[in-house]
Amino acid sequence: MDGGVGAKEERDPAWWRRRAWSLLSAVRARAPLVQCITNLVSMDIAANALLAAGASPAMLHSLREVPDFTPRCDAVCINVGTLFEDWLPSMRAAASAGRPWVLDPVAAAASGFRMEACLDLLGLRPAVVRGNASEILALAARSAAASSNFKGADSSHDSVDAIEAAKALALSSGAVVAVSGAVDFITDGKRVVGVSNGVPMMQKITATGCAVTAIIAAFVAMEPSDALDAAVCALAIFGLAGEIGMESAKGPASLRMHLIDSLYCLDEETVTSRVKISLRP
């Protein structure tokens, strides 16, 4: 899938805008089934964001269901936010089921147990790893000490601070790595793409990062052979929905509602005129 764009055409901002619309249209047309083994805080917003984007969410955690269900999914999203030891076998099994999957290493440096779980999952070769700068820095360093100013699921670093760590993590893991922040940076270890959509108020809504990871999984389902494009476009689409939602919102609670509505209502003209994606030199 290339949105009708020639493979040799330069990936300028206009190309990326068309690419984002092409992938969103594919999600809406095919309604990919995305299994989410995700945290208790994010289940509601992740499921509703997937539905608004056109995907079909399935919040299945039981290890006994994985052999029957996961191979029928189009993608898997694994999020360690509220990590339970009993969930780890399900996460490992789903990640090993042969479907493209995305890892959200929430608060990876919070404890040795959490870091070990994230590194274990990272070894199962996710298509994409998405986290904030502190999470990516900690994973790249393979040590909780990488985050000296740890702030739970929040980030104490700017996304630009983690670009080199993200590139190193992408090369060592084979995954595309996405660093969320005021500007999102996505890399495969060689190329780095920046996404400038979004509004600061989105950080005041819990689990918006978890929700966009689920959206990335839906986009990866449409383009499993090009996870970089999928992650870039998913982040841009979700950020754009936040921008449009903010035009009607009065605060975090109303932004949450309007963001989901805006995601559902995005049209071609809006996406191809307002998505902000650029290749970083």
Side-chain angles (χ1 to χ4, degrees):
M1 180 187 304
D2 63 6
V5 181
K8 295 183 180 180
E9 185 172 340
E10 182 181 357
R11 294 190 170 200
D12 60 10
W15 186 95
W16 280 111
R17 290 192 290 268
R18 294 192 297 274
R19 182 69 159 141
W21 174 248
S22 173
L23 285 171
L24 177 61
S25 298
V27 170
R28 288 173 170 177
R30 294 173 54 185
L33 179 60
V34 180
Q35 180 182 359
C36 298
I37 304 181
T38 189
N39 72 72
L40 299 174
V41 177
S42 72
M43 285 187 191
D44 176 81
I45 191 170
N48 280 298
L50 282 168
L51 285 169
S56 178
M59 315 320 253
L60 273 71
H61 293 70
S62 172
L63 177 60
R64 294 180 64 181
E65 291 188 284
V66 168
D68 292 332
F69 187 82
T70 306
R72 302 203 303 264
C73 294
D74 296 295
V76 177
C77 173
I78 296 178
N79 177 305
V80 302
T82 51
L83 185 60
F84 296 94
E85 192 165 11
D86 291 347
W87 285 10
L88 280 173
S90 298
M91 292 177 173
R92 295 188 190 105
S96 303
R99 309 310 300 148
W101 70 283
V102 178
L103 173 64
D104 194 327
V106 179
S111 68
F113 166 64
R114 185 175 291 267
M115 176 59 75
E116 289 172 9
C118 289
L119 293 176
D120 182 31
L121 290 166
L122 189 64
L124 298 176
R125 302 189 66 82
V128 180
V129 178
R130 188 220 63 87
N132 63 40
S134 294
E135 292 159 352
I136 298 304
L137 284 164
L139 271 185
R142 299 291 203 271
S143 170
S147 184
S148 58
N149 296 310
F150 177 65
K151 293 181 64 180
D154 298 325
S155 180
S156 56
H157 300 86
D158 294 329
S159 55
V160 69
D161 298 334
I163 291 176
E164 293 306 315
K167 290 170 68 176
L169 182 60
L171 290 173
S172 65
S173 67
V176 166
V177 177
V179 187
S180 294
V183 177
D184 302 320
F185 293 105
I186 306 91
T187 181
D188 58 4
K190 298 178 182 178
R191 297 170 292 170
V192 179
V193 182
V195 174
S196 300
N197 291 104
V199 292
M201 186 70 74
M202 293 171 73
Q203 298 177 18
K204 300 297 183 181
I205 306 171
T206 189
T208 50
C210 304
V212 78
T213 303
I215 298 295
I216 290 172
F219 277 53
V220 168
M222 297 297 93
E223 197 65 281
S225 64
D226 199 338
L228 180 79
D229 282 18
V232 167
C233 294
L235 283 159
I237 289 293
F238 193 77
L240 176 57
E243 290 177 6
I244 297 170
M246 194 66 219
E247 294 170 4
S248 303
K250 296 181 179 179
S254 55
L255 175 57
R256 186 185 192 275
M257 175 184 70
H258 289 299
L259 186 158
I260 292 171
D261 283 350
S262 298
L263 184 58
Y264 177 79
C265 294
L266 284 174
D267 57 27
E268 182 175 6
E269 180 180 359
T270 302
V271 171
T272 55
S273 62
R274 294 185 58 173
V275 157
K276 302 170 188 174
I277 301 172
S278 59
L279 191 65
R280 184 179 172 89

